Amino acid sequence: MTITYSCVANGRAVLAELALTGGSYQEAVATMLKLVLLRAEPKTIMQMGSFVYHTLFIDGITYLCATDNALDTITPSAFLKNMKYNKNQDDTPISTLRSQVTDVKNIMSQNIDEILESENRLSIFTDRTDDLQTTAKESQKTRKALRRMWWKHFRKVIIITVVILLSIIIILLSMNVIPT
């Protein structure tokens, strides 16, 4: 019994593969990955053509191997478990890639939070600017109205003063206090 093909896939995307014999496995592997995703079962065994495909599906990652012996299920199962529980799993390209993806996701989340905070601060600043503009326009209107009122009052005071002065002059003239 020989394991002729093996691969590791995330969803339908093959991340790594090794074919020990010639042949085209792509069509059968694509079908198997589709079935694994549809069934979402931890283990699947299926014969296609002259090969038997064994899969182990854990956390969205599919470990797949193809054998040329339909009767042996122990060897492929042990092989798939060995792929899954590799001693240096932390150093594998997949775990490194996952770590990098997690880091990028965290950084993107932080960036989105910062953008939302900046947008909130900008909105507050815009509202305050609008309030200041409104207050400035109202202040100008109030100043103009106060200036008009002051001039009206000032005119009245001048008119009253002139009338009083004229009245005093007329009274004094009529009393002959002021020589004419």
Side-chain angles (χ1 to χ4, degrees):
M1 204 275 316
T2 305
I3 294 176
T4 58
Y5 175 84
S6 64
C7 73
V8 178
N10 185 358
R12 290 186 182 183
V14 175
L15 303 175
E17 66 181 337
L18 176 65
L20 297 177
T21 62
S24 177
Y25 296 95
Q26 283 76 24
E27 221 176 284
V29 168
T31 303
M32 281 301 296
L33 291 175
K34 183 179 176 183
L35 288 172
V36 167
L37 289 173
L38 287 174
R39 292 181 181 174
E41 294 177 2
K43 292 183 180 182
T44 305
I45 300 172
M46 182 175 281
Q47 183 163 356
M48 295 179 124
S50 60
F51 296 104
V52 178
Y53 292 87
H54 302 261
T55 64
L56 181 62
F57 182 67
I58 300 173
D59 296 329
I61 302 295
T62 304
Y63 304 88
L64 181 143
C65 69
T67 66
D68 55 5
N69 184 349
L71 299 177
D72 185 11
T73 59
I74 295 172
T75 305
S77 180
F79 176 79
L80 291 174
K81 284 183 181 176
N82 189 29
M83 284 177 68
K84 167 68 176 109
Y85 300 108
N86 193 341
K87 289 179 185 175
N88 298 325
Q89 187 175 6
D90 291 340
D91 297 335
T92 63
I94 293 172
S95 64
T96 303
L97 186 61
R98 277 189 176 172
S99 174
Q100 290 173 345
V101 167
T102 301
D103 292 345
V104 168
K105 270 180 26 180
N106 291 338
I107 291 170
M108 287 177 67
S109 293
Q110 289 173 351
N111 288 345
I112 289 171
D113 289 342
E114 288 176 12
I115 288 170
L116 291 174
E117 270 184 44
S118 295
E119 184 178 339
N120 189 25
R121 285 193 304 255
L122 183 61
S123 176
I124 290 170
F125 179 72
T126 303
D127 291 345
R128 286 183 182 172
T129 303
D130 292 343
D131 291 345
L132 283 173
Q133 286 177 342
T134 303
T135 304
K137 287 178 183 176
E138 290 172 359
S139 177
Q140 284 177 345
K141 289 178 184 177
T142 304
R143 271 187 277 142
K144 285 180 181 178
L146 287 173
R147 193 174 301 131
R148 272 190 243 118
M149 289 172 52
W150 184 84
W151 277 110
K152 282 183 182 178
H153 179 69
F154 184 71
R155 281 187 219 131
K156 286 179 186 177
V157 168
I158 295 291
I159 290 171
I160 291 172
T161 306
V162 168
V163 168
I164 291 174
L165 284 176
L166 284 175
S167 297
I168 292 174
I169 291 175
I170 291 173
I171 292 173
L172 289 176
L173 280 175
S174 66
M175 293 171 58
N176 287 328
V177 176
I178 300 177
T180 50

